[in-house]
Amino acid sequence: MAKLSQDDLLAQFEDMTLIELSEFVKAFEEKFDVTAAAAAPVVVAGGAAGGAAAEAAEEQDEFDVVLTGAGDKKIQVIKVVRELTSLGLKEAKDLVDGAPKPVLEKVAKDAAEKAKESLEGAGASVEVK
């Protein structure tokens, strides 16, 4: 088997949907017994830990938009999910059916608020974290 370069691997990941990429990450974690969680910065100074944590919470600039329920107009919600993401019809339907699930991750506050308004306008229940 030929070894793929980093650029070749990235090109392969570019062609994957978010669902496929998520499934790949799960399989990778199981195969190599690792987790792909991002490491959070750790404050070592004892007295500054509480203050630094409070400051980090106030300065949050990345938000996750989580679909908590589809409501009565599921088809409209699927359409909005497709507009907000690059998901295909099946992937968007699976995301809506599997609620609660994140629709957008690590987006700016204004983008998160717009996505929330769009989803709620379609009848979904949404949380911004």
Side-chain angles (χ1 to χ4, degrees), residues 4-17 21:
L4 297 174
S5 71
Q6 187 175 7
D7 291 335
D8 293 337
L9 285 171
L10 290 173
Q12 290 296 317
F13 291 134
E14 250 180 8
D15 295 336
M16 297 174 89
T17 65
L21 193 55

Side-chain angles (χ1 to χ4, degrees), residues 23-129:
E23 290 170 355
F24 170 78
V25 169
K26 287 178 188 173
F28 187 89
E29 289 174 340
E30 289 174 10
K31 170 87 174 173
F32 296 104
D33 193 29
V34 296
T35 57
V42 178
V43 177
V44 179
E55 262 185 62
E58 291 173 18
E59 297 177 12
Q60 181 179 1
D61 61 348
E62 292 182 337
F63 297 86
D64 295 343
V65 179
V66 179
L67 178 70
T68 57
D72 296 335
K73 301 177 183 175
K74 188 166 132 182
I75 293 173
Q76 297 300 336
V77 174
I78 292 170
K79 287 180 181 180
V80 172
V81 167
R82 291 192 67 204
E83 289 172 10
L84 295 172
T85 64
S86 61
L87 295 177
L89 180 60
K90 182 179 182 339
E91 290 86 4
K93 181 182 179 302
D94 291 345
L95 187 145
V96 171
D97 288 341
K101 288 208 176 194
V103 177
L104 298 173
E105 295 178 323
K106 297 183 181 178
V107 295
K109 184 174 183 169
D110 59 335
E113 289 300 322
K114 286 179 184 175
K116 180 180 178 183
E117 288 175 21
S118 298
L119 287 164
E120 287 177 343
S125 52
V126 182
E127 284 183 12
V128 175
K129 296 182 179 182

